[in-house]
């Protein structure tokens, strides 16, 4: 219980789940509008709020689920990586660390300017570059979480950190494949 506000602290896993539900609602709304299909966004939001309310009532009766604090070391829980940075991290790890029997190809993020003229990062692999650029605002949360760090040889470049490697390894071990990114587990 938070002594200042009298409320229990927010559950980061529940918040991540709710954010995913909201993203799904928005994506479905955009898709349906684009293709001229019927749209019931208000109904989808009402259903999501009703589920959240029932979950809250359940927690009120049974006591809230214990909030497990994320430590500053070890792998980051996949669901706690924000969605857009999580997608970028998935791509970066797939190309630089690989998975399965394929050997890691290595690589790094190098500074670049996006098509919109904003700061960003390009994935530079040893034999080629990855075509898609990542915006600086997509990579910054990965830096804050300790998943990406400055390269030891060229501080202007970024590489997957030890914590990032552990996070990727845990994700792959649990069977993660894009787009099924295991945020519901």
């Amino acid at each position: 219980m938070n002594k200042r506000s009298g409320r229990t602290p927010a559950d980061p896993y529940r918040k991540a789940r709710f954010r995913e539900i909201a993203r799904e609602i928005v994506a479905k709304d955009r898709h349906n509008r684009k293709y001229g299909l019927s749209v019931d966004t208000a109904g989808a939001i009402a259903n999501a709020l009703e589920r959240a309310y029932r979950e809250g009532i359940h927690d009120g009766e049974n006591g809230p689920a214990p909030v497990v604090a994320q430590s500053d070391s070890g792998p980051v829980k996949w669901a706690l990586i924000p969605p857009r940075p999580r997608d970028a991290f998935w791509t970066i790890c797939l190309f630089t660390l690989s998975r399965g029997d394929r050997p890691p190809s290595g690589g790094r993020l190098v500074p670049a300017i996006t098509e919109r003229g904003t700061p960003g990062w390009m994935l530079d692999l040893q034999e080629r570059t990855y075509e898609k650029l990542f915006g600086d605002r997509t990579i910054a949360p990965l830096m804050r979480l300790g998943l990406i760090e400055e390269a030891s040889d060229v501080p202007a470049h970024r590489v997957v950190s030890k914590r990032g490697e552990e996070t990727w390894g845990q994700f792959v071990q649990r069977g993660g494949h894009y787009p099924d990114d295991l945020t519901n587990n």
Side-chain angles (χ1 to χ4, degrees):
M1 182 115 128
N2 188 334
K3 290 181 183 178
R4 268 210 233 151
S5 67
R7 292 186 269 172
T8 57
D11 178 355
Y13 296 100
R14 181 179 299 148
K15 186 174 181 178
R17 242 183 14 260
F18 287 170
R19 187 167 302 222
E20 290 298 320
I21 291 167
R23 289 184 79 219
E24 289 171 11
I25 291 169
V26 169
K28 186 175 187 323
D29 176 81
R30 287 180 181 160
H31 177 270
N32 288 355
R33 286 181 192 278
K34 181 178 179 179
Y35 294 104
L37 303 172
S38 66
V39 176
D40 185 20
T41 305
I45 292 170
N47 289 337
L49 288 171
E50 179 63 27
R51 284 191 308 270
Y53 175 78
R54 283 193 308 267
E55 193 172 309
I57 294 293
H58 179 265
D59 283 353
E61 292 170 353
N62 302 323
V67 177
V68 179
Q70 177 75 34
S71 71
D72 291 335
S73 63
V76 174
K77 298 290 184 190
W78 197 254
L80 297 182
I81 304 170
R84 184 170 293 169
R86 183 175 57 232
D87 289 347
F89 185 64
W90 184 90
T91 300
I92 292 163
C93 289
L94 183 66
F95 281 99
T96 61
L97 302 178
S98 190
R99 71 170 170 214
D101 296 338
R102 295 187 338 204
S105 64
R108 56 186 54 218
L109 293 169
V110 297
I113 301 297
T114 67
E115 291 176 3
R116 296 174 44 198
T118 59
W121 299 91
M122 177 176 56
L123 186 54
D124 181 23
L125 305 169
Q126 291 176 354
E127 53 286 333
R128 64 183 177 90
T129 57
Y130 181 70
E131 304 81 40
K132 185 174 184 269
L133 297 177
F134 304 104
D136 196 47
R137 294 176 73 177
T138 298
I139 299 301
L142 299 174
M143 295 283 295
R144 279 193 301 275
L145 288 169
L147 300 172
I148 302 286
E149 65 186 5
E150 290 181 354
S152 58
D153 56 343
V154 182
H157 296 170
R158 304 288 182 262
V159 294
V160 177
S161 68
K162 178 76 171 151
R163 185 177 197 191
E165 290 176 11
E166 291 172 359
T167 301
W168 177 250
Q170 185 180 61
F171 171 74
V172 170
Q173 184 180 20
R174 289 176 50 214
H177 291 283
Y178 187 84
D180 175 24
D181 62 9
L182 303 178
T183 56
N184 296 326
N185 293 349

